[in-house]
Amino acid sequence: FPFPPGSFRCAVKDNTGHHHGWGILPVSARPPRAGGRAARRGVSTAADPRELPRQKSRTSQTLARPTGRRRRRRAAAVAKRTSPADSSLSSLSIHSLYVRGIILGYKRARTNQTNHTSLIKLENVNDKSSADFYLGKKLCYVYKAKTKKKGTVFRTSWGKVTRAHGSSGVVRAKFKKNLPPSSMGGKIRCMLYPSNI
C-alpha cells in the first residue's frame, strides 16, 4: 500500500526483539545511517545501536585467552629473555643417553613369522658398518597401560640388539618378552650401554 509522503515503513518489535508487524513513522524519526549526509556533516550517529562498537562475547574472550600449556611456554620464554645467561651452562653440551628408533615388525619370510625376533630401524644408521656399533646395546620399549603399578602407568620392555639385518642399517633384536603387535610402528630407545669402546 502507498505510504504517506515523508514517512517510511519500520518493523514493530517489543523489548524482547519479537516482531509484531509493520508500522509507519515520519522520516524525522529514522536514525541517520553511517557514512550518510549526517556523518559527512559531522553529526554524531552514536545513538544508532547499529553504530555502537560491538562488545566481544564472553565465549570469544575465553577462547582467545591462552591455555595452560601456552601460558607456561610464554612465561618460560619471558623468563629466558629476562634472566642473564649462565656462562657455565652455555659452555656445556647436552648429550642424549639413547638413540631413537622405530619398530618395523617381526623377522619373517613370505609365509612364516618369527615373533621372538623384532626388526628395529635406528635413527641416522643407514648401513651395516654403522649398525655394528649398536650390537649388544640394550633396547627399551616404553608403553602406557591403563592401571597404575608402582605409582605409574608407564611400563617398559627390555631387550638387546643381536645382529644387523640386511645392509640398510636395520638391526634384529630379542626381548625378554616378545613385543606385542601393537608396538609395530612405535618408538623405541636404544641405550648406549654396555659400551664396547
Side-chain angles (χ1 to χ4, degrees):
F1 58 91
F3 301 116
S7 63
F8 73 101
R9 190 172 78 149
C10 70
V12 179
K13 296 181 180 179
D14 59 11
N15 57 358
T16 60
H18 289 93
H19 182 75
H20 290 288
W22 297 92
I24 299 171
L25 287 175
V27 174
S28 59
R30 174 186 281 171
R33 292 179 182 170
R37 287 181 191 168
R40 284 196 291 272
R41 282 195 228 117
V43 178
S44 174
T45 59
D48 186 1
R50 292 174 296 183
E51 304 308 315
L52 291 173
R54 286 186 66 186
Q55 294 182 349
K56 286 184 179 177
S57 64
R58 294 190 73 179
T59 54
S60 65
Q61 287 174 354
T62 53
L63 287 173
R65 195 178 301 152
T67 59
R69 186 185 295 172
R70 284 185 188 160
R71 207 178 299 131
R72 285 193 297 274
R73 278 187 190 163
R74 202 173 288 171
V78 170
K80 202 174 189 180
R81 284 198 303 265
T82 54
S83 64
D86 190 356
S87 59
S88 62
L89 287 176
S90 61
S91 63
L92 294 171
S93 57
I94 299 169
H95 297 286
S96 178
L97 297 176
Y98 61 87
V99 174
R100 293 180 297 187
I102 292 176
I103 300 166
L104 302 180
Y106 302 118
K107 182 171 92 72
R108 57 166 298 160
R110 187 178 179 187
T111 53
N112 299 332
Q113 172 177 284
T114 53
N115 301 337
H116 54 73
T117 305
S118 299
L119 302 181
I120 312 291
K121 177 71 176 118
L122 298 175
E123 190 176 38
N124 300 326
V125 180
N126 299 316
D127 52 25
K128 191 171 182 179
S129 59
S130 301
D132 287 343
F133 170 80
Y134 296 96
L135 300 185
K137 297 287 189 285
K138 295 284 185 183
L139 291 164
C140 180
Y141 172 60
V142 182
Y143 60 98
K144 194 174 181 181
K146 287 187 177 179
T147 55
K148 269 193 176 183
K149 284 192 177 180
K150 299 181 182 177
T152 180
V153 291
F154 292 101
R155 311 219 180 126
T156 55
S157 183
W158 287 87
K160 68 176 180 179
V161 178
T162 55
R163 54 169 289 181
H165 180 80
S167 58
S168 61
V170 178
V171 295
R172 297 183 197 174
K174 282 180 174 287
F175 287 80
K176 204 170 184 181
K177 288 187 177 179
N178 297 347
L179 288 180
S182 59
S183 69
M184 288 185 192
K187 295 177 181 177
I188 194 165
R189 301 175 181 184
C190 181
M191 303 300 176
L192 297 180
Y193 56 82
S195 175
N196 54 8
I197 297 173

